């Protein structure tokens, strides 16, 4: 962390500052230091001239704001829905729907979450990582509901896109069986 902070300070190019800020935000997020993560995602957006990085920071800030209690589930859902309506985010709808599903799940809205996850898959064009996460979350939800046939179908789909080096691969294979 101190090295990344120093790198941000010394970086000459704004895009380098943006990237280092984004990485630092992710580290803070992983360490459950959500206030610091929120601040560094904001810095990443400020420095960035790359829309993909800016979008990822904006999405992470919305999720982080909800997780820290700075915004309500309704406020977060509205913010994410605004992102859905922005034409610049057409190729990122899968990620937005996935985030909406997580908010719905946190609020015990399983049917809505399942709908959001299915939308995430419907709008996914080439993001295999997002596709595997959506499939796996759907499979697990159906498994928890003891809807084993649906769960098996989604576990099958997960295995089609999940990397064989993913640490969850063997477990998903067992559940599929």
């Amino acid at each position: 962390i101190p090295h990344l902070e120093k790198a941000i300070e010394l970086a000459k190019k704004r895009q380098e500052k943006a990237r280092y800020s984004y990485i630092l935000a992710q580290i803070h997020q992983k360490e459950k230091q959500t206030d610091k993560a929120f601040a560094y995602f904001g810095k990443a957006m400020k420095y960035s001239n790359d829309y993909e990085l800016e979008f990822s920071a904006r999405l992470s800030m919305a999720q982080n704001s909800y997780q820290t209690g700075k915004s309500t589930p309704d406020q977060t859902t509205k913010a994410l829905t605004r992102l859905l309506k922005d034409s610049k985010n057409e190729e990122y709808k899968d990620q937005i729907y996935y985030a909406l599903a997580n908010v719905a799940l946190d609020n015990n809205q399983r049917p809505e979450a399942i709908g959001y996850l299915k939308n995430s898959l419907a709008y996914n064009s080439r993001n295999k990582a997002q596709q595997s996460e959506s499939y796996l979350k759907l499979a697990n939800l159906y498994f928890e509901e003891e809807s084993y046939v649906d769960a098996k179908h989604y576990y099958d789909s997960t295995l089609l896109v999940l990397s064989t080096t993913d640490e969850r691969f063997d477990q998903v294979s067992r559940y599929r069986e």
Side-chain angles (χ1 to χ4, degrees):
I1 290 174
H3 296 292
L4 281 169
E5 290 170 340
K6 190 70 171 172
I8 293 168
E9 190 180 311
L10 296 175
K12 302 264 190 261
K13 297 179 182 175
R14 290 178 58 88
Q15 199 55 34
E16 287 177 357
K17 288 179 185 266
R19 187 71 191 133
Y20 298 148
S21 295
Y22 189 83
I23 293 167
L24 198 48
Q26 288 178 309
I27 291 169
H28 284 303
Q29 191 171 38
K30 188 150 181 87
E31 296 295 318
K32 307 285 189 226
Q33 297 172 337
T34 51
D35 287 336
K36 289 181 180 180
F38 190 85
Y40 278 104
F41 281 128
K43 285 183 181 186
M45 283 177 49
K46 182 181 118 186
Y47 292 131
S48 182
N49 59 5
D50 173 39
Y51 187 72
E52 187 171 350
L53 186 98
E54 184 184 329
F55 167 79
S56 292
R58 191 176 311 278
L59 184 63
S60 294
M61 285 178 75
Q63 291 171 314
N64 210 339
S65 178
Y66 168 69
Q67 291 167 349
T68 61
K70 289 181 180 176
S71 69
T72 65
D74 286 341
Q75 290 170 323
T76 304
T77 299
K78 285 178 185 173
L80 292 170
T81 302
R82 276 193 304 274
L83 286 176
L84 277 175
K85 292 177 182 176
D86 189 339
S87 62
K88 291 186 289 186
N89 297 332
E90 191 65 34
E91 68 181 282
Y92 305 114
K93 282 186 174 184
D94 56 343
Q95 295 172 52
I96 300 168
Y97 278 118
Y98 186 82
L100 283 164
N102 286 329
V103 173
L105 283 172
D106 287 345
N107 290 284
N108 297 317
Q109 299 171 327
R110 289 175 78 92
E112 290 86 349
I114 288 171
Y116 287 137
L117 289 168
K118 287 180 178 180
N119 282 338
S120 174
L121 291 167
Y123 282 99
N124 188 301
S125 58
R126 61 179 184 265
N127 187 342
K128 291 221 184 272
Q130 181 60 62
Q131 200 174 24
S132 64
E133 294 303 320
S134 295
Y135 276 134
L136 183 56
K137 191 163 284 220
L138 269 170
N140 288 336
L141 286 171
Y142 282 123
F143 188 84
E144 289 169 9
E145 291 178 354
E146 297 179 0
S147 181
Y148 299 121
V149 174
D150 290 329
K152 184 200 182 317
H153 292 304
Y154 283 106
Y155 285 128
D156 283 342
S157 297
T158 302
L159 289 173
L160 291 174
V161 292
L162 189 67
S163 169
T164 56
T165 60
D166 190 297
E167 62 189 21
R168 301 169 296 178
F169 189 86
D170 291 337
Q171 180 184 12
V172 172
S173 294
R174 284 193 303 276
Y175 274 112
R176 179 189 64 182
E177 296 306 316

